[in-house]
């Protein structure tokens, strides 16, 4: 399959008489894909049950006739204002109890039955009409599930659905009370109807209660989305996809992804750096025009797994955006770098968001490939350069990595439910671990716990709070080097500390006898350099100590192929420790300069310079935003 | 007209038997004016429609008989508790939906018809009774419109009124939808009754929606106030005024000011420094006992324009206040300096707030000229010193400045609606520009866009987001040197980016092709020194580049008399760039020491030392808090 | 009386078959006391009026038979879920108007009559059943009044009760209006039913209004608690107690304590350091594993007074906790140090919270003496070491100190109601003063204003905002050295500034003529070293100046035995000034190293090292966490 480019287009925003020219310019710019329709419900169904298909028929014909492949979006992220007359209680409710009002987007509660029925209706109409249209080459459901903090809703609809969900899961309140330890503060329930959502409690609610609500909320997304994929499956053979966001951990993407053919995501490196990476001020300044060197790559690798190997960037930042705390311009060349980086990680396609900058409404300062006056914006030339470079580039050629990193949404919820130290996040621990691997030149596969880990030489599972016995056994039986912890298997399925105490790994006599969290200004120095930060466990057992504090407390212990790491390592310690561990596992590493990253496909090794200065590398000097493709 | 002094007095707070002595001491202290009545509704009308005029008649007679001129306030900022029984829904509602309760002041919604009717009633009674009273020399309506964040109300009354306002402005929802670009996220309305206030939306509402709400909210203040001025006009010949606050930009003071004869404002230099200037911690420390050297002057110049040339300080801080984060004492001499500074900027009168410190209620730690035990507080001696100095001082003698700075409330709302960078404020850009001019020894007139700019040699209009074609033409036709931007003419009347792209100035081929906002720690160095900070535009066109980044990107471009500046300059760059530009415009400048400011009237040049140390100047050493009057 | 140890135990959390073993291990560990029952309402009364006493009878028998003395808690901090069906409006309401929901603990409003009746009912049942049980050696009411910010409730029940409280206190609204100065902003009331709770006002409410609400809220705790103590008194001879928290100033502990025999408190040195001490980051880092060197001691001395001389630590932190921003492990030895420190301050008993770490619910990461797997946690060995050391230690032997510090809850409310500078707290002023005394080697008694001060050589009363004339006279008549201020007697009983102006102390001609609050970065240097910070008064009068600013302004003035200090001193100035003042009072001092503290009983002088390094002292080197008992 050829690597391809595309863009996102809103014909309803523009005069009819420029559609043909837009389409022609897209093709001339080397674009293959155009995504449309995902915010157009009001134009499709201006009044309840009154449809206006003409403009959409027309737009599809114009774009398709120009040679573009169309991704058609279902418009369920933006129900029209009249929908609220049908369902006044369809709005999500925030944690303080305020309905989240009409006037922007994503103004619905995933648990509202009536709205879900209306989604079924509109998607059925769309699929009936365009399911076999030859120009429609893919379908997107809704838009950015979870964006704007929309997974959790504290509504009456959610409360009712949560009670049902609990009743199905636990069957009896006695079972629930036991599982959650509700005896603790006389919190025992006699009926599922007594159970409320875990907000606005006097002090923190039972973490088991919150974890259950997080799981329920994720399941509600799966259920909501499946209504749409089932309708589409019955009416089209085109691949189905959704556009995920960066650092959106409110729902389990592997669960939702099971109903899709392709995973796509929306990559905004500069917006994310300011808003979601959690970088230090120094790093934010250094990478302000380039984005974090690992954040995008991390999501590429994550969503490749979510997409069962097939994935795209469906929205690629082409210039400054409008929504981060500060919105600088990218360093020249970064749009090209970001595009090639996606291909290096196995993307099939990269689409730029958006074709033309909108002069009105919420995103009027969000760059497009064109300016509002239809002149080319700087991003367009870089996109075109990639299009030219793609002409003789290899096809998509995925390559299984030698190193796997285990990613589990359920574990991330546990970290959020019980961080034990201010702001501690399992996501950050995963990203820090990934960054350490990347600094060592490793190409990584990110996989869910349910994955088949055959063929990996080394598997890392930091922060995997819940591990079933079956998972423990399966990992131990692989023969690969395993690096687990901290916090591995620390809670059972109902958020209780298991006895024997964690991690209770087969064949490894290590017990976490106590744990502490550390102020950011009091990292604990380790022998050999670097520090434990944030999270530090006291380990006991007979396994061999392979990393210790300067005062001699074991920090990592190993027996055979399994190593348990009881701390969150800073970058120096992470690189050193992981390098040694990989060397023992027979995985070759190289220590890359701070700004340089590499990534291998089956046919090429890519080199990227994420820094603002030219860097010397073993393949020669790489300029800022430099991309070097080295055939393998 | 002689420059005069005054104070604010609350006879209802004090025993009847000290009124005469208070009045006599005021006169003996050199005070001319006394303001009374603005919080006394409950004492005037203790029960609905039951009036007690005796005490007020008496107070007016006592004060007037002592030789004082009285400013009588309408009491509509503090409706009595019984008013809520009449109008339970008259309270403003905060953005989270909570009614803002009785128990302090300003507890009303500008849009509530019933309360406005009751204001009409009480003002009519007052004006009927005292409109021709010879002691009443001026009338104040209400008190500090906007203080305590009271312009925006998210009440049902506001919602209904907003819908009416929109219906009148747009006539049809089709027109509104087009103007706002509501097609963007299926936000189109079919009825004005579908439009809600723009709070509590899932993500940011349409900026056009918010800008409209800001304009509406300002208009509601005008409408509310006009009820009172119309009544008063019909019943008195005394001048009408209102006491504006510092950095209150929630309503258009030029619009409200059109109904008044004099603009007055409440100047609290130390409170403002902590609370509203936005100074760095270093500047807050340096000026903690003096206040910002430019903030008061800026408002003096602004409100002079609002008052059509006639203006006062009606509340002058006389010592520590109670409402800022920290409340230090002024440096000895500053009360005198602040008073003379007001006169230097053309004030007709300066009144100290308040006569005697109240021992009870909310402002018990707000200094007066007297202590609660009636002893003189330190401010009184400084006031008396000014009174003595005024005896042989020149009369009020306004002088049109050579340099004008354009101030537009509508533009400030646009900055707030769409800052694009965290905390960016058009007000701060104006203040930074003003500060640069002042550091260069320039006396400035601040004017609205609608002003007559005849006679100015140089006009600066930074951050003027909306510019009509007529305004562009008018400014270009003046012959004066014009310095526009950044962000000039960036939005049309409905908050849409115009095409051709901004600024689209006549005779100046400059286009803002892209813009970015910058983290505070990444200013962009300019050739010749200094930096662009916060906001930086990419300029293209054929005009001459007169300022550029170190990497050669144009930052300011000029053709003929018009210069477009596409950045927010730091202090070093601002002073240097503006000095050069003024030199070209034939305006002489001088670079003043950091703490020194000068200001010219028709008869005098005033020198002020705002610093804590003595400073050498060309007119000799100026001590801390020093004031030097140099005849011209 | 022997010093004893104990623990807190929840039989209902554990299988029946381990109770005997747990009890035996407690005894073998040297523990005397076991507290049970305070969260078990749902297990005692699973349905309304249906009781299950069997398990509790059994638990009491098992524990008592093992030789343990039992403290039985009333379970009113955790009403079962069914209680909400009886009293849907029993929940407290937060300041934003949200009911604080079921799902954790302390979910009740102190003012709710119906809930108070149900508390009366359950306590009566408990007392009837166990009041004469020989194993029950003490009773605890409820749990941690005030924890989780639960004193103030903005509910309808509180509003009704507040109106009644006001009506009883003021008898007429005329009296209330006069006392509060409601004339100020037309805030006068005509009926008590017009008075609302002082939340959600447009700007700050009248401080007199807020102070009244604070007093009312404290009285509601007294009233709520007294229901229980009256029932218990009638049915048991065992001592009654409550477990107070650290830095809980929402209610007057002296008032509540009047109904108890013993004061106990819950001492969590590491949690408090992060959460409540208000230490600088540097101090937080230095003492992260030891806790603040003075914070626990301060509460020991405070609660000794609350308990009329009898007091315990009933919950002692035995390892990391779960609720602070960061939760590190204690330095080895600190659990022992904390225990001995309590005994040094006169504690009768120290109980560790909790026996075994719970694997479920909210506190699953709160250490116990046992781990969840029943293995010994590190704290157990330290507890056992103390138990061994106690075998030949002296009995409890209280000694009246020579120096007293006056602590007044009402004054702390006044500081909170009107801090005048951001975050200024009377509690911090008291703690800073106490710290200064402790750095000088002084053992301190903390006493309420109502105390008998006979026998003290020196009495300090900083920040005592309200002082009756009687108190002024009483203190002046003692002959002891008095150090008063800042802010002494600054408000009358209704929060009005008195005239003559404060402090108006008999025999001392000092007047606070003005006051200011200072930014943290602008302390005012004093002659002789050190600074005034936060709060600085201008003093005038004929008394002798004994401390002045570098510019010569008096900061402290003395006549005879009375000294008035008009500033908040930093640590250097505090130590120097207080040392000189104590020397004049004939009290001997010694300047201790930063980490060392001493405390005297009648028989021993205790030395403690709170630092992470060994410190040389006059009694030899003290290792980290070192405790040295020096016979007197």
């Amino acid at each position: 399959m050829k690597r391809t480019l595309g863009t996102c287009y809103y014909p309803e925003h523009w005069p009819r008489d420029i559609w043909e020219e837009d389409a022609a310019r897209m093709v001339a710019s080397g674009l293959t894909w155009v995504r449309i329709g995902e915010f157009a419900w009001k134009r499709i169904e201006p009044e309840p049950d009154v449809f206006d298909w003409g403009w959409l028929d027309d737009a599809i014909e114009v774009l398709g006739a120009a040679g573009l492949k169309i991704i058609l979006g279902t418009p369920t992220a933006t129900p029209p204002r009249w929908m609220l007359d049908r369902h006044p209680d369809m709005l999500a409710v925030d944690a303080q109890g305020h309905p989240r009002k009409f006037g922007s987007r994503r103004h619905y509660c995933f648990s509202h039955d009536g709205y879900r029925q209306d989604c079924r209706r509109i998607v059925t109409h769309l699929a009936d009409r365009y399911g076999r249209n030859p120009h429609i080459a893919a379908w997107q459901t809704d838009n950015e599930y979870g964006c704007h903090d929309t997974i959790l809703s504290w509504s009456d609809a959610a409360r009712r659905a949560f009670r049902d969900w609990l009743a199905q899961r636990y069957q009896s309140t006695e079972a629930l009370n036991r599982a959650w330890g509700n005896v603790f503060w006389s919190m025992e329930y006699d009926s599922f109807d007594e159970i409320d959502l875990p907000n606005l409690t006097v002090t923190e609610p039972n973490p088991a209660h919150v974890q259950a609500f997080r799981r329920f909320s994720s399941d509600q997304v799966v259920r909501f989305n499946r209504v749409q994929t089932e309708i589409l499956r019955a009416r089209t053979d085109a691949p189905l996809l959704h556009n995920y966001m960066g650092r959106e951990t409110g729902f389990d993407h592997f669960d939702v992804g099971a109903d899709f053919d392709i995973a796509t995501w929306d990559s905004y490196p500069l917006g994310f750096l300011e808003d979601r990476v959690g970088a230090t001020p120094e790093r934010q300044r250094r990478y302000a025009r380039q984005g974090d060197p690992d954040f995008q790559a991390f999501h590429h690798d994550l969503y490749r797994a979510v997409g069962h190997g097939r994935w795209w960037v469906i929205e690629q930042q082409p210039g400054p955006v409008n929504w981060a705390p500060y919105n600088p311009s990218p360093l020249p060349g970064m749009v090209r770098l970001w595009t090639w980086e996606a291909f290096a990680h196995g993307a099939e396609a990269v689409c730029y968001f958006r074709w033309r900058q909108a002069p009105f409404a919420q995103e009027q300062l969000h760059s497009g490939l064109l300016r509002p006056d239809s002149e080319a914006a700087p991003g367009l030339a870089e996109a075109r350069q990639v299009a030219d470079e793609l002409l003789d580039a290899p096809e998509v050629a995925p390559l299984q990595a030698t190193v796997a990193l285990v990613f589990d949404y359920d574990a991330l919820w546990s970290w959020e439910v019980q961080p034990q130290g201010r702001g501690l996040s399992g996501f950050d621990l995963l990203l820090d671990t990934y960054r350490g691997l990347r600094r060592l030149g490793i190409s990584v596969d990110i996989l869910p716990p349910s994955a088949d880990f055959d063929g990996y030489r080394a598997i890392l599972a930091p922060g995997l709070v819940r591990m079933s016995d079956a998972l423990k056994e399966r990992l131990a039986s692989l023969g690969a080097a395993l690096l687990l912890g901290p916090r591995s298997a620390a809670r059972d399925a109902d958020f209780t500390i298991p006895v024997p105490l964690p991690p209770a790994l087969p064949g490894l006599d290590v017990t976490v006898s106590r744990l502490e969290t550390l102020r950011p200004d009091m990292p604990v120095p380790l022998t050999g350099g670097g520090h434990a930060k944030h999270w530090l466990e006291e380990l006991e057992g007979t396994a061999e100590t392979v990393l210790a504090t300067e005062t001699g407390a074991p920090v990592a212990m190993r027996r055979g192929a399994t190593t348990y790491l009881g701390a969150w390592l800073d970058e120096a310690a992470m690189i050193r420790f992981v390098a040694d561990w990989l060397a023992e596992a027979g995985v070759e590493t190289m220590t890359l300069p701070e700004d340089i990253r590499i990534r291998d496909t089956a046919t090429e090794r890519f080199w990227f310079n994420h820094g603002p200065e030219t860097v010397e590398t073993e393949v020669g000097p790489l300029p800022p935003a430099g991309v070097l493709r080295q055939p393998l």
Side-chain angles (χ1 to χ4, degrees), chain A:
Chain A
M1 186 186 311
K2 292 291 291 179
R3 294 155 171 166
T4 47
L5 301 177
T7 193
C8 305
Y9 186 58
Y10 301 91
E12 69 273 25
H13 295 180
W14 309 108
R16 172 62 187 85
D17 58 11
I18 66 168
W19 293 0
E20 278 85 357
E21 185 188 335
D22 277 338
R25 285 180 81 181
M26 291 176 200
V27 172
S29 302
L31 307 184
T32 299
W33 296 93
V34 61
R35 187 189 69 178
I36 65 169
E38 80 272 18
F39 298 128
W41 194 334
K42 173 70 175 166
R43 288 296 174 97
I44 293 170
E45 189 180 9
E47 298 171 49
D49 298 308
V50 176
F51 292 90
D52 179 1
W53 296 109
W55 71 271
L56 186 53
D57 292 351
D58 190 12
I60 289 169
E61 184 53 34
V62 167
L63 295 165
L68 292 160
K69 295 181 178 183
I70 297 171
I71 308 128
L72 185 58
T74 70
T76 51
T78 51
R81 177 62 182 77
W82 53 253
M83 188 70 73
L84 270 81
D85 296 330
R86 286 194 166 184
H87 312 296
D89 60 344
M90 66 169 278
L91 300 173
V93 171
D94 71 20
Q96 297 302 301
H98 304 122
R100 304 181 68 185
K101 290 163 50 177
F102 183 86
S104 60
R105 60 178 179 174
R106 304 208 51 69
H107 40 282
Y108 68 84
C109 174
F110 280 104
S111 295
H112 193 275
D113 291 334
Y115 181 59
R116 200 169 55 245
Q117 284 306 109
D118 262 305
C119 290
R120 182 190 310 275
R121 194 179 52 80
I122 189 69
V123 174
T124 302
H125 279 292
L126 271 170
D128 281 344
R129 189 167 193 93
Y130 301 115
R132 305 298 171 189
N133 185 307
H135 299 313
I136 308 298
W139 289 77
Q140 173 184 304
T141 61
D142 205 277
N143 185 74
E144 291 179 347
Y145 289 139
C147 196
H148 318 309
D149 195 16
T150 49
I151 299 303
L152 303 188
S153 171
W154 310 87
S155 67
D156 290 341
R159 183 181 300 106
R160 282 191 301 271
F162 183 46
R163 288 168 176 172
D164 289 348
W165 186 93
L166 290 171
Q168 290 191 26
R169 183 179 178 98
Y170 291 102
Q171 297 296 318
S172 74
T173 53
E174 288 77 10
L176 179 145
N177 288 330
R178 261 196 316 276
W180 291 8
N182 279 338
V183 65
F184 190 66
W185 280 343
S186 274
M187 298 177 293
E188 289 161 306
Y189 299 105
D190 293 316
S191 152
F192 287 103
D193 288 343
E194 289 180 346
I195 306 178
D196 208 335
L197 302 180
N199 62 328
L200 295 173
T201 50
V202 175
T203 182
E204 59 166 330
N206 191 330
H209 189 172
V210 187
Q211 181 83 1
F213 182 59
R214 301 298 303 266
R215 289 170 180 165
F216 155 78
S217 298
S218 178
D219 286 356
Q220 294 301 93
V221 180
V222 174
R223 181 159 164 266
F224 177 90
N225 180 70
R226 189 167 292 155
V227 166
Q228 301 197 18
T229 55
E230 285 178 354
I231 295 166
L232 291 166
R233 286 279 177 234
R235 290 162 178 82
T236 184
D237 299 323
L240 309 186
L241 56 87
H242 178 77
N243 60 332
Y244 305 115
M245 265 300 270
R247 198 171 185 147
E248 170 48 56
T249 59
F251 66 96
D252 191 318
H253 291 53
F254 294 112
D255 287 350
V256 171
D259 292 324
F260 288 116
D261 304 291
I262 302 172
T264 78
W265 81 289
D266 298 348
S267 179
Y268 292 95
L270 303 195
F272 292 150
L273 180 71
E274 285 285 344
D275 209 37
R276 307 197 180 191
V277 171
T280 61
E282 295 69 32
R283 284 182 72 86
Q284 288 203 31
R285 188 170 59 238
R286 178 163 190 83
Y287 296 110
R289 298 187 182 286
Q290 304 102 269
D292 182 88
D294 299 299
F295 191 81
Q296 284 67 245
F298 183 87
H299 286 84
H300 296 339
D301 290 339
L302 170 63
Y303 290 131
R304 190 173 62 249
V306 169
H308 331 288
R310 296 194 63 188
W311 76 279
W312 303 7
V313 170
I314 203 163
E315 297 186 16
Q316 172 61 58
Q317 176 171 4
V321 296
N322 64 302
W323 47 266
Y326 305 97
N327 295 292
S329 296
L331 195 73
M334 285 310 296
V335 173
R336 172 177 170 257
L337 182 150
W338 295 327
T339 309
W340 273 114
E341 186 185 43
F343 290 132
H345 286 261
E348 298 177 358
V350 175
C351 302
Y352 302 95
F353 184 88
R354 45 195 286 148
W355 174 243
R356 185 188 291 101
Q357 182 179 346
F360 45 65
Q362 279 89 335
E363 295 182 350
Q364 54 188 247
L365 284 175
H366 190 302
S367 303
L369 292 175
L370 302 188
R371 308 190 320 202
D373 64 355
S374 295
E375 294 297 309
L380 183 60
E382 298 194 24
R384 195 171 319 196
Q385 181 182 350
V386 177
D388 293 343
E389 291 167 341
L390 281 175
L391 293 177
D392 60 356
E395 297 212 336
V396 178
L399 172 70
Q400 180 172 330
T402 52
V403 177
L405 180 68
V406 181
F407 186 106
D408 181 33
Y409 288 92
D410 194 84
L412 299 191
W413 303 332
S414 298
W415 278 84
E416 291 180 31
V417 167
Q418 187 182 69
Q420 180 70 2
R422 184 184 281 156
L424 297 191
S425 148
F427 187 94
D428 288 332
L429 175 64
L430 282 160
L431 184 58
D432 277 4
T433 307
Y434 181 81
R435 194 187 303 284
L437 291 166
R438 295 252 298 167
R439 290 293 305 278
L440 293 165
I442 301 293
S443 292
V444 181
D445 283 350
I446 296 180
L447 296 174
S450 62
D452 173 7
F453 292 98
D454 273 2
Y456 291 98
R457 307 260 290 269
I459 301 170
L460 300 92
L464 194 59
V465 177
R466 188 178 57 154
M467 296 181 75
S468 66
D469 289 343
L471 177 60
K472 290 178 180 179
E473 292 296 342
R474 190 155 59 84
L475 288 174
S477 69
L478 288 168
L482 290 181
L483 180 56
L484 304 171
R487 219 173 181 175
S488 285
R491 294 295 176 276
D492 73 9
D494 292 297
F495 218 88
T496 289
I497 300 174
V499 174
L501 292 184
L505 296 168
L508 182 75
D509 177 22
V510 169
T511 297
V512 178
S513 62
R514 193 158 79 162
L515 65 90
E516 63 177 350
T517 52
L518 302 168
R519 295 171 48 83
D521 58 5
M522 52 177 289
V524 172
L526 303 176
T527 53
H531 296 79
K533 62 178 183 179
H534 302 329
W535 185 279
L536 182 59
E537 298 171 350
E538 293 180 30
L539 305 183
E540 59 181 40
T542 59
E544 178 196 3
T545 295
V546 293
L547 184 66
T549 67
E550 285 192 350
T551 59
V555 169
M557 301 179 78
R558 181 183 56 187
R559 178 164 296 160
T562 303
T563 302
Y564 184 81
L565 172 61
W568 189 321
L569 302 183
D570 69 7
E571 193 165 4
M574 181 75 83
I575 290 173
R576 182 173 58 83
F577 179 72
V578 171
D580 292 349
W581 173 76
L582 286 173
E584 298 241 9
V587 177
E588 202 177 342
T589 63
M590 56 197 294
T591 303
L592 293 170
E594 182 188 3
D595 295 333
I596 301 299
R597 296 292 184 277
I598 63 176
R599 168 78 199 178
D600 297 341
T601 66
T603 55
E604 294 166 297
R605 165 162 292 182
F606 286 82
W607 293 73
F608 301 103
N609 181 1
H610 295 266
E613 299 112 22
T614 296
V615 180
E616 282 301 323
T617 71
E618 65 175 65
V619 292
L622 263 183
V627 177
L628 188 146
R629 292 154 54 205
Q630 183 184 20
L632 286 183

